[in-house]
Amino acid sequence: MKKSFFKQIVHQLDSPLYVTDPEGVILYVNEAFTEVSGYSEEEALGKKSSILKSGRMSRDYYERLWSRLLAKVSWKEEIINRRKDGSEYTALQFITPICDARDRILYFAAVQYDVTREKELQNEKEIFFNVNIDLFCIITESGVIRQANSAWQNLLGINPENLKGRLIQEQIHEDDTDSFFETQEKLIREKILPQVDLRIRKADGEYNWVSWRILYDPEKKLFYASGRDVQERVEMERKIRKISNTDPLTGAANRLKFEEEYKKELNRSQRYRLPLAFILCDIDHFKQINDTYGHYRGDVVLKKFVHIIHESLRDTDQLFRWGGEEFALLCPHTGLEDALTFAERIRKIVEEEDFEIEQNVTLSLGVTICRENDTEETLLRRADAALYEAKRTGRNRSISVE
């Protein structure tokens, strides 16, 4: 093929191309160069390539550039150039030394790809990424954090650069990792935009509740996660829940909480065939205490009674104020014999305690355990019958019914 053919191809390339001598004097430019730079062919030829300098690149940049080129090594890096009209553009620039048969540099051929718009979009993305007050991160399918925004520093005290390359599960509370992985799997499978609340570790080792919305890109196999700090909301919900589930006078769990835990423990006992003891107890002659010493003193007795019982409970046991002077106890993993022993122990503790009134405070207790086919009603009825029997036969005693 004729040289003119290749020259025609080069001249009509979409990307700016120019050729200089070893001193940087421009010897050739194509049409794309004149369109992008604003310099005509006549204006460019014979001038040094420094006519494109914007003044934005450092001396170190040019020192590295010339060091490589004079060593006959190609150069590839972004550069900010200036057009004839003074406006700037960003280009990805490739410069290749062209040598003769004796390996002497004859020319430098430079090809530029205008990436101004791409850089603008990248800058806009970076700005949005980092001005966002919510946590944001990009995560691979294997859980590796690719990028995190500055909100991690602002909210959690974590430098986002230190998160790159680390596993996201390292930042999630161990009790919440299953929820995270389940959300990932559901997202891949059902292609929905889920929301999940997770505890995220802060720089000081404490945890903050964060509500996440996660988007999955199946082509890139990446998760895009945006998280809002909901610590205050969770704490408020916890306070509200505690208030709604707690007896305001004694601090014991109330009847509403009992119904929730009673169903849960009964179901667990029957599903896994685990022993469960249920105890109903009643402070004997409590009306007489109120009538003799007043309701204020009666309230003091109730509060002290709850304090005493709480100190006797195991971690798995739960005490509830059933109503008035009646209380209920749920004791998981406890058989009838052990439950009766426990009931007797707290009965004696109460009997021996000084409640700062002249009459003794005593307790009657009805004890039973969960049967295979028990319902909420049948289990409750047996405990109530046992309590009635304890009161009928003289009070200050524990009666068990299997």
Side-chain angles (χ1 to χ4, degrees), residues 304-348:
K304 190 167 186 177
F305 166 78
V306 167
H307 176 72
I308 292 168
I309 302 303
H310 271 148
E311 289 188 333
S312 302
L313 298 181
R314 302 170 302 179
D315 290 341
T316 53
D317 298 331
Q318 298 183 76
L319 172 69
F320 307 88
R321 188 177 183 188
W322 184 257
E325 69 275 18
E326 289 186 320
F327 293 82
L329 283 158
L330 285 174
C331 304
H333 311 291
T334 306
L336 186 64
E337 184 177 346
D338 287 340
L340 184 58
T341 300
F342 174 60
E344 274 295 288
R345 180 158 65 87
I346 62 175
R347 183 190 66 78
K348 290 176 182 177

Side-chain angles (χ1 to χ4, degrees), residues 15-20 61 65 68-69 73-79 81 90-98 107-115:
S15 299
L17 180 146
Y18 63 96
V19 179
T20 75
Y61 176 90
L65 182 152
R68 287 181 66 88
L69 294 181
V73 179
S74 295
W75 170 267
K76 175 187 175 183
E77 199 162 318
E78 285 186 2
I79 187 171
N81 283 333
T90 303
L92 179 60
Q93 183 167 248
F94 298 80
I95 306 177
T96 302
I98 299 173
Y107 311 105
F108 294 115
V111 180
Q112 296 182 340
Y113 295 92
D114 188 351
V115 292

Side-chain angles (χ1 to χ4, degrees), residues 1-274:
M1 294 184 181
K2 295 181 180 180
K3 290 183 179 179
S4 61
F5 175 76
F6 290 105
K7 183 176 180 180
Q8 183 180 359
I9 292 175
V10 170
H11 206 65
Q12 294 181 9
L13 283 176
D14 287 338
S15 299
L17 180 146
Y18 63 96
V19 179
T20 75
D21 66 11
E23 302 301 322
V25 176
I26 299 174
L27 304 176
Y28 170 80
V29 296
N30 68 353
E31 290 182 1
F33 176 90
T34 62
E35 290 174 5
V36 171
S37 71
Y39 291 101
S40 67
E41 184 176 0
E42 292 77 14
E43 290 172 322
L45 296 180
K47 302 287 180 32
K48 284 204 168 188
S49 58
S50 58
I51 62 171
L52 300 174
K53 274 190 175 182
S54 64
R56 298 283 298 278
M57 310 308 294
S58 67
R59 175 179 294 183
D60 175 69
Y61 176 90
Y62 290 107
E63 287 177 352
R64 288 188 294 110
L65 182 152
W66 282 108
S67 175
R68 287 181 66 88
L69 294 181
L70 294 177
K72 304 180 185 69
V73 179
S74 295
W75 170 267
K76 175 187 175 183
E77 199 162 318
E78 285 186 2
I79 187 171
I80 301 174
N81 283 333
R82 190 183 302 277
R83 298 182 179 90
K84 180 183 177 181
D85 63 9
S87 62
E88 295 176 352
Y89 67 98
T90 303
L92 179 60
Q93 183 167 248
F94 298 80
I95 306 177
T96 302
I98 299 173
C99 301
D100 61 12
R102 295 183 182 180
D103 202 30
R104 293 177 300 184
I105 297 174
L106 297 178
Y107 311 105
F108 294 115
V111 180
Q112 296 182 340
Y113 295 92
D114 188 351
V115 292
T116 304
R117 184 54 187 154
E118 287 85 346
K119 290 294 291 184
E120 289 175 352
L121 291 173
Q122 179 65 26
N123 290 338
E124 290 169 4
K125 173 189 167 186
E126 288 292 330
I127 292 171
F128 172 78
F129 195 74
N130 286 304
V131 300
N132 198 325
I133 62 172
D134 294 333
L135 300 177
F136 190 79
C137 57
I138 302 173
I139 310 165
T140 67
E141 276 192 347
S142 58
V144 176
I145 301 172
R146 275 201 176 178
Q147 193 173 359
N149 69 346
S150 58
W152 287 81
Q153 179 75 57
N154 300 335
L155 296 177
L156 304 178
I158 299 173
N159 185 336
E161 290 300 315
N162 295 339
L163 291 172
K164 291 181 181 179
R166 298 180 63 176
L167 293 172
I168 185 65
Q169 51 263 43
E170 293 177 8
Q171 299 301 131
I172 300 174
H173 193 286
E174 60 181 7
D175 292 342
D176 297 338
T177 52
D178 286 346
S179 296
F180 174 74
F181 290 126
E182 287 169 7
T183 301
Q184 272 191 318
E185 292 170 6
K186 189 173 183 180
L187 185 56
I188 295 172
R189 185 175 62 251
E190 301 180 11
K191 298 179 176 59
I192 59 172
L193 186 65
Q195 182 170 331
V196 59
D197 290 352
L198 305 169
R199 281 163 287 185
I200 303 298
R201 185 165 54 86
K202 300 190 294 183
D204 61 6
E206 297 295 320
Y207 286 86
N208 254 42
W209 278 100
V210 177
S211 184
W212 292 95
R213 298 278 285 181
I214 307 173
L215 177 69
Y216 176 65
D217 185 334
E219 292 185 3
K220 296 181 179 178
K221 298 187 181 303
L222 293 174
F223 295 95
Y224 298 86
S226 177
R228 178 154 296 182
D229 184 357
V230 292
Q231 182 67 24
E232 290 186 6
R233 187 202 77 192
V234 171
E235 289 178 355
M236 182 60 68
E237 289 174 351
R238 187 183 293 124
K239 289 178 182 177
I240 293 171
R241 189 162 52 249
K242 183 177 180 180
I243 291 171
S244 65
N245 290 327
T246 304
D247 173 51
L249 173 64
T250 64
N254 62 13
R255 184 72 172 264
L256 181 65
K257 183 63 174 177
F258 167 79
E259 292 174 359
E260 175 188 330
E261 294 298 320
Y262 182 52
K263 292 176 184 178
K264 185 166 65 178
E265 292 297 341
L266 183 60
N267 288 336
R268 181 184 291 127
S269 172
Q270 293 177 330
R271 176 179 297 178
Y272 301 108
R273 298 180 181 277
L274 298 171

Side-chain angles (χ1 to χ4, degrees), residues 280-289 305 322-327 344 347 359 361-367 382-401:
L280 278 177
C281 53
D282 183 274
I283 298 175
D284 296 327
H285 304 297
F286 187 73
K287 183 177 184 302
Q288 183 177 332
I289 294 174
F305 166 78
W322 184 257
E325 69 275 18
E326 289 186 320
F327 293 82
E344 274 295 288
R347 183 190 66 78
Q359 71 182 69
V361 176
T362 60
L363 201 61
S364 296
L365 303 100
V367 183
R382 281 203 310 281
D384 193 48
L387 174 61
Y388 175 79
E389 184 65 13
K391 295 177 80 66
R392 188 189 69 80
T393 55
R395 294 183 170 83
N396 192 23
R397 65 191 61 206
S398 305
I399 297 292
S400 64
V401 176

